Amino acid sequence: MFAYGSGVKQQEGYEKVGNGNNKRPPPGTVVDLVFCVRDAQGFHAENLHRHPEHYSALGHLGPNFVAKYQERLGAGVYCNTLVPLPDVGITIKYGVVSQEQLLEDLLDWRHLYLAGRLHKPVTNLVNPSDNPPLKAALDRNLISALQVALLLLPEKFTAYGLFHTIAGLSYKGDFRMIFGENKQKVHNIVSPQINDFFALYQPSLGELSDYVAVNMKGHEPGSRKPAIIFEQDKSSSATSQHLRRLPRELQKRLQRNAACRGDYTQVVNHLSLASQLPEVLQASVNDIVWRSSVTQSLKNIPSAGLLKSLAYSYRKAQKTFAV
């Protein structure tokens, strides 16, 4: 179980989260939550019994239907939107995903939906270390994001450049960025959370220490403060190593988009020497994100109900134009 978004993590342009001893988000903020459950049907059966008002008309079709709707459509997530919690004075939106589908997304990037959200700092409400398979998949997801970023970046880059590239993976192909989201969203996420990103990716950077190193002597142009500059191995052998370890769905997309036909080994040999690798790789990531963002957004309309969908979209638009 984790919380994410501007309700719990500071983003530039939004009211500060948790001032002083006040850990609650500002009034009117929607807190985004995700529940990973082992038994989706069992979860919805109990939740429908306790909180039938959380569900749209789909809830009347029963927990078996809701679980199938969750798992067979979109990115495998069922969302209940704009749920008021008057006892704590906040409103939540919560998504439910089965552990099996979350593991698949984290390891293979089948949808790059929750995997993409988990490329960025979140607030864990249940310790994932208590679930070894899930913890291993979360760690693998971060390494995959770091490897893709290294393939997209030049030989030398700043910490901001690294984390902006990582955070942008799940946004560049999202159709909502065309009209529904603030175009500076990635910057707004990364800029105030650099230290959180460092903490999140420190183990992954250690895992890839043979390929990327930190040079503390660099300086950002126009700044007197020392900047953290990364240097990476851009040899064809290092590039090949990263390409071979990419998530399975991304490998499939690269095979389709590369100007080379053959099995993935041949594609790796071709792309490791190709100057257009960053463009092909970014297009392949975008392919995954575009499809899942469209299908999941369409799926969320019936699960939220039309009125709540319109209200939620209106709130998102208000945030976009206010920033």
Side-chain angles (χ1 to χ4, degrees):
M1 178 179 176
F2 66 89
Y4 67 96
S6 59
V8 292
K9 289 293 182 181
Q10 187 59 41
Q11 293 186 20
E12 197 167 284
Y14 295 104
E15 188 174 343
K16 189 170 180 61
V17 175
N19 291 307
N21 295 323
N22 178 22
K23 300 300 182 183
R24 292 184 181 179
T29 301
V30 176
V31 175
D32 296 291
L33 302 168
V34 171
F35 304 149
C36 172
V37 301
R38 291 188 175 89
D39 175 10
Q41 184 175 338
F43 173 87
H44 288 297
E46 181 68 16
N47 203 39
L48 279 163
H49 175 70
R50 294 189 184 193
H51 307 292
E53 72 280 3
H54 290 190
Y55 290 79
S56 69
L58 292 184
H60 296 298
L61 300 175
N64 183 49
F65 177 87
V66 172
K68 288 181 178 178
Y69 188 80
Q70 171 189 313
E71 295 182 333
R72 296 183 181 181
L73 299 173
V77 183
Y78 187 94
C79 292
N80 283 327
T81 304
L82 296 182
V83 176
L85 300 181
D87 53 331
V88 291
I90 63 171
T91 299
I92 64 171
K93 170 189 172 185
Y94 65 93
V96 183
V97 63
S98 69
Q99 177 170 302
E100 181 181 359
Q101 292 213 353
L102 179 57
L103 289 174
E104 184 179 30
D105 200 29
L106 292 170
L107 294 172
D108 297 338
W109 285 14
R110 182 183 176 192
H111 304 294
L112 199 47
Y113 190 75
L114 293 181
R117 280 162 172 71
L118 289 162
H119 289 164
K120 299 171 278 292
V122 300
T123 298
N124 287 310
L125 303 176
V126 174
N127 188 352
S129 297
D130 296 337
N131 186 327
L134 182 57
K135 180 65 169 64
L138 288 164
D139 293 343
R140 180 65 245 175
N141 181 48
L142 296 178
I143 292 172
S144 295
L146 181 56
Q147 289 185 297
V148 171
L150 293 177
L151 291 169
L152 293 172
L153 288 164
E155 184 177 0
K156 295 183 180 182
F157 49 89
T158 64
Y160 174 84
L162 172 62
F163 298 134
H164 191 280
T165 301
I166 289 174
L169 292 176
S170 59
Y171 284 115
K172 284 193 174 180
D174 192 330
F175 86 100
R176 293 170 298 179
M177 293 300 292
I178 299 173
F179 59 88
E181 289 283 8
N182 184 350
K183 299 301 184 289
Q184 295 298 312
K185 187 175 183 69
V186 177
H187 167 79
N188 293 343
I189 290 171
V190 174
S191 183
Q193 295 188 65
I194 287 286
N195 291 337
D196 292 337
F197 272 96
F198 260 115
L200 182 63
Y201 279 92
Q202 188 171 6
S204 302
L205 287 164
E207 180 91 9
L208 298 178
S209 59
D210 289 344
Y211 303 99
V212 60
V214 179
N215 179 1
M216 297 292 291
K217 296 179 181 179
H219 287 75
E220 290 182 345
S223 173
R224 295 181 181 179
K225 296 182 179 180
I228 298 176
I229 303 295
F230 289 91
E231 296 186 36
Q232 66 162 318
D233 182 354
K234 292 295 283 186
S235 67
S236 61
S237 61
T239 300
S240 296
Q241 177 66 14
H242 295 322
L243 288 169
R244 281 194 291 268
R245 296 186 67 192
L246 294 181
R248 187 179 306 170
E249 185 64 29
L250 185 52
Q251 291 184 14
K252 292 179 182 177
R253 304 289 172 148
L254 282 171
Q255 276 188 275
R256 288 186 205 168
N257 294 331
C260 166
R261 291 296 170 260
D263 61 24
Y264 189 65
T265 300
Q266 292 171 297
V267 171
V268 167
N269 293 337
H270 167 75
L271 288 177
S272 64
L273 300 171
S275 60
Q276 70 272 25
L277 170 60
E279 290 79 11
V280 175
L281 180 59
Q282 186 66 68
S284 300
V285 172
N286 292 356
D287 285 350
I288 303 173
V289 175
W290 173 268
R291 184 174 183 276
S292 66
S293 68
V294 171
T295 56
Q296 184 65 39
S297 293
L298 292 173
K299 173 184 174 180
N300 287 347
I301 295 173
S303 63
L306 183 59
L307 292 179
K308 279 190 176 182
S309 294
L310 291 173
Y312 185 75
S313 298
Y314 177 70
R315 287 194 182 206
K316 294 285 283 186
Q318 280 187 312
K319 285 171 62 178
T320 298
F321 292 116
V323 175

